[in-house]
Amino acid sequence: MSTANMIYGVPLQLFQIVVGLVCLAAFVGVNAVLLVWMERKVAGHFQRRPGPFEVGPYGLLQTVADAVKLIAKQIFVPEGADKMLYWTAPFLAFLPVFVTLLPIPWGDILVVQKLDLGILLILAFSGIGVLSLCLAGWASNNKWSILGAARAVSQSVAYEIPLLISVLTVVFMTGTLNLSTVVEAQGSWPWEWLGASQPLAFIIYFTCAVAETNRAPFDLPEAESELTAGFHTEYSGMGFGLFFLAEYANMIVVCGVAAALFLGGWRGPVADGWWWFLLKVYALIFVMMWFRWTYPRVRFDQLLNIAWKWLIPLAILNLLVTAALVKLFSINYYV
Amino acid sequence: MNACKTVKAVSDTVKGLWSLVVGLKVTGKNYVSPQLTIHYPRKTVDNIETYHGHIELVGKPKEPAVPRCICCMLCVTSCPSGCITVVKQKEPKEPARASADAPKEMLGEVGEKKAPPMAKPAKTPSRWKLNYNLCSLCGTCVEVCPVKSIRFSNDVYIAGYSQDDFVYDLLARLREQAGEGEGDR
C-alpha cells in the first residue's frame, strides 16, 4: 500500500470513517437537544402558548435541564425482567443510527462515505430498530410493554414495505443506489427534484417515514392513554433517554433520506450547499410536528389497513408505471 | 348500482384526504395566531372585569360612602352559608313628645287637632360584615337584593394568615372606596 493512502500509519478510509462517526455523534447529540426544544416550542405555539421560556433565553436550556434530570435518575431493572435483553434494547435502538447516517450527503463533499449501496445500507440497518422494540417489550416482564412491542413490530414491518418500494422507484429513475449520485442527478430548482416527478412516491415515503419513527398519528405503540408508554414503560433515566434520543435521531435519518431522494438534497435555488440540506430536513421535521398536533391517533386495524390495502398497492402500481415509462422512453437521469 | 357505490367510495376517499389538508390549515392558522398565555407575574392580567370575587356594597349615587342598603335582611336570610351579618341603625328616642301627647289624649277634648305624625328616620346599616371563610360565591345575595346594593368585586389579591383576615367589614371598605373616588361602577 502506498504511503499516500496512510495517515500516521492508519488507512485513510478508516481515519475518514472514525472522524465522520465522531462528528455524527456530536451532531446527533446536539440535534436531539435542539429537536426536543423545537418539539415543545412548536407544540406550545400550535396551542397558542409560549412553550418553554423560563430556563435560558426562549427556554433553550430546558432540554439541558431535562438531560440532567434523566442522567440523575435511578436506573433499575424490574423484577422478573431479563437483564441482558433489557439493557441490550436501548443500545440496539440507538447505535444503528450512526451507520444509517454514514452515506447521507450533507453537502457536495460533506459526506462520510459515498457508498455505492448507501440506500441499501440505510434500509438494512433501519430494520434493527424494530428488533430493539421487540426486545424492550419482551424483556420488561410487563403486559403493557409486550402489547406495545407487538404493535410496534407489526406497524414497522407493515410500513417498511411501501417505503422500500417508493425508494425503489427513485432507484429506477436514477439507476443508482448511491445517495450522492441521486442528489447530483437532480437540479437546483424545485421542478427538477424527484419529488416533482414522483409526487406519489414522495407522499408514500413520507407517510411511511412518520410511521417508522412512531410519530402521531402512528404512535399507537406508545399510546399513553392505553399502554402507559408502550415498549419503554419500564425504562427510566438513561434507558428511556436512549430510546428518546433514538427516536429523534431516526427522524433526522428519515427526513435526511427524504431530502436527498425527493427534494434535491443539498441543491437549492441560487446557491447549492449544506444549508439547503439542513433547511429541508428541518422543514420536514416541522411538518412531522405539525402532523402530531393536527391528526388524531388512528385505530390499529385502520393503521395496518392503510399500509396493506392502500400504500402497498399504490406503491407497486407506481413502481410498475415508472418501470414502463423508463423502459419505453429510456428515461435515465444518471447513465 | 355498482357504479353508484364506486362513485360514492371514491368521493368519500377524496373527501377524507381533503380533510387532512383542512386539518393542517386549521392548526397552521393557530400556529401563526398570537398567544393567549400571560407571563404572570412578569406581566399583569388586564382583563379581570369578568372576575367574580367576594361581594361588596354599592354606594348611593349622591353619597358614595353610604350604602344603598335598606336593611331588609333578605340577603341574611337567603344566604345558604350564613356569611352575612347586617345590623340596622337604632331609631332615636323621643320621650318628651310622648309625654307631651299623653295629657292631651287623656283630657279627651273633642275637636282638638292631634299632633303631626313623627317623621321616619332613614334605614341604614350600622354594621355590615361578610365572613368569607364560609362564602361559596353562590351569588344568591346579589340576586335577592331589592335595591342592588350588593355586587361582586374584582378583588383577586387576597391573602392572609388567619381566619380573621377574611372577615370583611364591607362598610369600612365602602368608605375607603368612596375616599378613592370609585363609587358606582
Side-chain angles (χ1 to χ4, degrees):
Chain A
M1 188 177 295
S2 74
T3 55
N5 291 328
M6 309 287 282
I7 296 178
Y8 302 105
V10 178
L12 179 61
Q13 271 205 350
L14 180 58
F15 187 80
Q16 197 174 333
I17 289 175
V18 170
V19 171
L21 281 176
V22 170
C23 293
L24 288 176
F27 177 74
V28 165
V30 172
N31 196 80
V33 169
L34 178 66
L35 281 188
V36 172
W37 173 84
M38 180 179 167
E39 171 117 56
R40 293 161 76 163
K41 268 294 187 191
V42 166
H45 283 259
F46 273 120
Q47 295 165 2
R48 302 185 70 176
R49 53 181 177 81
F53 66 91
E54 281 290 338
V55 189
Y58 296 102
L60 280 163
L61 296 180
Q62 180 70 50
T63 316
V64 177
D66 287 354
V68 172
K69 179 194 74 168
L70 280 179
I71 291 168
K73 276 191 170 185
Q74 181 188 5
I75 294 175
F76 69 92
V77 180
E79 191 176 349
D82 189 325
K83 279 186 166 63
M84 182 71 73
L85 296 186
Y86 189 81
W87 287 118
T88 303
F91 294 103
L92 213 55
F94 184 57
L95 292 180
V97 168
F98 297 113
V99 183
T100 57
L101 282 167
L102 281 178
I104 290 185
W106 306 93
D108 193 2
I109 58 174
L110 197 65
V111 54
V112 181
Q113 283 281 310
K114 291 191 177 183
L115 300 170
D116 281 343
L117 296 178
I119 290 175
L120 195 62
L121 181 78
I122 291 174
L123 296 173
F125 276 89
S126 296
I128 296 184
V130 181
L131 186 58
S132 76
L133 306 186
C134 197
L135 285 187
W138 180 261
S140 294
N141 190 38
N142 180 304
K143 55 193 173 192
W144 316 121
S145 296
I146 198 71
L147 275 172
R151 288 182 174 183
V153 171
S154 53
Q155 174 176 316
S156 291
V157 168
Y159 280 87
E160 198 97 49
I161 298 170
L163 187 138
L164 291 171
I165 298 175
S166 58
V167 167
L168 202 54
T169 308
V170 170
V171 172
F172 275 25
M173 295 280 288
T174 59
T176 176
L177 288 165
N178 190 325
L179 276 164
S180 298
T181 311
V182 172
V183 170
E184 285 158 20
Q186 304 177 65
S188 295
W189 301 98
W191 52 85
E192 293 172 339
W193 299 343
L194 282 167
S197 51
Q198 289 285 349
L200 183 56
F202 178 51
I203 290 170
I204 291 173
Y205 177 89
F206 195 67
T207 305
C208 296
V210 174
E212 285 288 305
T213 53
N214 283 333
R215 301 278 306 178
F218 303 109
D219 61 343
L220 272 167
E222 298 175 14
E224 291 90 2
S225 50
E226 308 164 35
L227 301 178
T228 312
F231 57 88
H232 56 66
T233 300
E234 295 290 350
Y235 286 83
S236 70
M238 279 319 292
F240 170 78
L242 279 178
F243 277 117
F244 210 51
L245 204 60
E247 179 184 331
Y248 285 101
N250 274 312
M251 281 172 74
I252 304 168
V253 173
V254 295
C255 292
V257 172
L261 294 182
F262 297 100
L263 302 180
W266 43 263
R267 291 178 174 274
V270 181
D272 296 343
W274 53 266
W275 44 88
W276 274 114
F277 191 85
L278 285 183
L279 184 70
K280 292 169 185 175
V281 168
Y282 284 119
L284 287 175
I285 290 174
F286 176 81
V287 172
M288 276 183 160
M289 294 174 178
W290 195 344
F291 282 2
R292 178 170 188 179
W293 305 109
T294 303
Y295 300 135
R297 187 176 294 143
V298 295
R299 213 170 54 229
F300 205 67
D301 58 313
Q302 290 169 336
L303 185 90
L304 293 184
N305 282 344
I306 289 172
W308 295 106
K309 292 189 174 180
W310 283 92
L311 295 184
I312 291 177
L314 280 176
I316 292 175
L317 188 67
N318 190 46
L319 184 69
L320 290 178
V321 170
T322 302
L325 290 178
V326 166
K327 194 64 179 176
L328 283 176
F329 299 101
S330 299
I331 298 172
N332 201 298
Y333 282 65
Y334 180 50
V335 177
Chain B
M1 206 61 179
N2 278 335
C4 291
K5 285 184 179 177
T6 305
V7 169
K8 187 174 188 308
V10 171
S11 173
D12 282 351
T13 303
V14 172
K15 199 177 297 182
L17 289 176
W18 180 248
S19 73
L20 298 183
V21 179
V22 174
L24 285 181
K25 196 170 81 170
V26 171
T27 45
K29 201 177 297 181
N30 274 282
Y31 186 81
V32 297
S33 295
Q35 294 163 16
L36 302 172
T37 303
I38 295 170
H39 294 199
Y40 189 88
R42 282 168 184 73
K43 296 180 181 177
T44 53
V45 180
D46 57 3
N47 60 339
I48 57 174
E49 285 80 25
T50 55
Y51 180 77
H52 274 184
H54 63 78
I55 59 170
E56 62 181 9
L57 292 173
V58 181
K60 288 180 175 177
K62 297 180 179 178
E63 293 178 275
V66 179
R68 296 182 181 186
C69 181
I70 59 172
C71 303
C72 63
M73 300 301 172
L74 279 178
C75 55
V76 175
T77 53
S78 70
C79 181
S81 310
C83 310
I84 302 173
T85 303
V86 178
V87 177
K88 187 165 68 172
Q89 261 184 21
K90 286 185 175 180
E91 300 178 19
K93 292 179 178 178
E94 299 187 24
R97 177 187 289 265
S99 62
D101 285 343
K104 289 187 177 180
E105 291 184 2
M106 291 174 67
L107 289 175
E109 288 187 30
V110 180
E112 179 69 24
K113 196 171 183 181
K114 284 189 176 179
M118 294 182 294
K120 281 186 179 179
K123 294 182 178 179
T124 50
S126 66
R127 191 146 41 101
W128 220 110
K129 287 189 188 300
L130 166 72
N131 188 348
Y132 197 45
N133 297 293
L134 307 173
C135 181
S136 62
L137 290 169
C138 64
T140 306
C141 51
V142 177
E143 285 179 23
V144 86
C145 182
V147 292
K148 299 288 186 287
S149 179
I150 308 173
R151 70 185 176 195
F152 290 109
S153 71
N154 293 150
D155 200 6
V156 296
Y157 301 100
I158 53 174
Y161 293 95
S162 164
Q163 287 186 61
D164 298 332
D165 296 336
F166 300 103
V167 179
Y168 299 121
D169 183 350
L170 294 188
L171 281 181
R173 177 186 168 89
L174 185 63
R175 279 193 288 271
E176 287 176 23
Q177 286 176 330
E180 292 165 5
E182 181 173 320
D184 214 356
R185 219 178 285 166

